[in-house]
Amino acid sequence: MKSFALLAVAGLLSTLAATAGAQAAEYGKCEPKGERGSISLETIAADTLTVATVLPNPGWYNGISPEKIEDGFEYCMGAEIAHRAGLDKVRLVNMAWDQYISGTASNYDIGIAGTTITEARKQVFDFSQPYFSSNLGVAVKKGADVSAENIRSKRIGVLQGNMGSDWVIGTLKPDQQPSLYQSQPDMVTALIAGQVDAIVSDATLVLSATNGTNGMIEVIGQFELDQGYGIVLPKGSANAAVVDQAVAAFREDGTLADLSARYLAPLFGVDPASVPVWTLK
């Protein structure tokens, strides 16, 4: 009887400890679904996944500051990785885009910031397989005279270091050099102010920007490039294979689809597939 009682107490304490550990996790409003502790990561801070990103980025990261982010597609994907690695905290390191994409920073475990996978960037970072695919969207002020036929003659704004800027300069080759902007809000503000005739960037970015302007700007076309966003890791990271496998698991178990339905569909306001696909003329 005494042995049974001791076993019962031990079981209760074990349950309470597990419950306390689950409650201690700090993931904002995210609700990870995978098996806790099913993967193993080497992190720069104990019990913490440090994620580099570029804010603001509504829909992908929802909150007013790095410390106040509560959810969003990319934030909750990071939380899912942390949960499956048995880590209780996600800490964001906010960077300027040019600092983030330069590959010079080392104060993070993974980077999640809508980073398109390219051969050039593979020389700087390790990447996971794509967790999201996106084309290049063209946004203009409502009613503007911009089309696939005349876009080369227009003043175009692009985000410095973004795949869209590389594509505009190297493939579209407009009549005049595009205007480079350091942030998405700066680029959208320039469009609204009439400083450029169109902006070209990831379709997801321009769709989300359009959805917040009450019809002032609209996405009128997209160039189909089948870009893929990957999770970034410092070159040579010991975590590269594990993170890649985690993204594969997210696709298989429906995690990515659930995050997209919860955070991206409301963000865009329209089905991205409804935006006309343009071809170069």
Side-chain angles (χ1 to χ4, degrees):
M1 180 66 72
K2 185 176 181 180
S3 298
F4 176 79
L6 288 174
L7 287 172
V9 170
L12 177 60
L13 290 175
S14 177
T15 300
L16 290 174
T19 302
Q23 292 175 341
E26 299 174 11
Y27 305 140
K29 295 180 180 178
C30 304
E31 299 176 355
K33 306 296 185 184
E35 180 184 351
R36 180 176 171 83
S38 57
I39 64 175
S40 178
L41 295 176
E42 296 180 14
T43 59
I44 61 175
D47 200 29
T48 301
L49 182 66
T50 303
V51 179
T53 192
V54 180
L55 302 175
N57 198 359
W60 304 88
Y61 290 88
N62 296 325
I64 60 175
S65 69
E67 298 77 18
K68 299 295 184 180
I69 298 295
E70 295 187 328
D71 59 5
F73 183 106
E74 291 185 330
Y75 180 75
C76 288
M77 184 172 64
E80 186 73 45
I81 292 173
H83 170 76
R84 296 191 189 195
L87 306 172
D88 285 333
K89 299 176 183 178
V90 174
R91 184 176 73 89
L92 297 182
V93 177
N94 187 26
M95 301 180 184
W97 175 258
D98 55 350
Q99 176 192 15
Y100 170 83
I101 205 62
S102 69
T104 57
S106 59
N107 58 333
Y108 66 94
D109 299 311
I110 62 174
I112 313 179
T115 314
T116 302
I117 303 167
T118 68
E119 290 304 315
R121 289 176 180 172
K122 287 180 180 178
Q123 305 306 309
V124 180
F125 303 105
D126 286 335
F127 277 95
S128 73
Q129 60 188 270
Y131 60 84
F132 188 85
S133 296
S134 175
N135 297 324
L136 288 177
V138 181
V140 301
K141 291 181 72 172
K142 190 173 181 64
D145 178 26
V146 178
S147 65
E149 290 74 20
N150 67 18
I151 189 171
R152 282 193 175 94
S153 67
K154 301 299 182 178
R155 299 169 301 161
I156 299 173
V158 295
L159 188 63
Q160 185 169 349
N162 180 268
M163 181 61 182
S165 66
D166 297 340
W167 184 86
V168 168
I169 294 169
T171 302
L172 182 62
K173 298 179 180 178
D175 296 342
Q176 54 185 302
Q177 281 291 104
S179 299
L180 299 177
Y181 296 94
Q182 294 294 321
S183 71
Q184 179 79 7
D186 289 345
M187 186 169 61
V188 173
T189 298
L191 176 62
I192 293 174
Q195 297 170 4
V196 293
D197 301 310
I199 59 175
V200 178
S201 188
D202 300 47
T204 55
L205 297 180
V206 293
L207 281 168
S208 59
T210 300
N211 197 31
T213 63
N214 297 318
M216 189 177 300
I217 63 175
E218 59 182 348
V219 180
I220 58 173
Q222 60 180 322
F223 292 100
E224 195 169 32
L225 303 182
D226 192 26
Q227 300 176 46
Y229 292 174
I231 294 177
V232 161
L233 300 99
K235 196 67 178 174
S237 170
N239 297 321
V242 175
V243 171
D244 181 69
Q245 292 163 9
V247 173
F250 295 167
R251 182 173 290 105
E252 290 296 322
D253 64 22
T255 296
L256 296 180
D258 289 346
L259 292 174
S260 182
R262 179 174 296 186
Y263 297 112
L264 299 188
L267 173 69
F268 299 152
V270 299
D271 180 358
S274 69
V275 178
V277 175
W278 288 3
T279 56
L280 291 178
K281 302 296 182 180

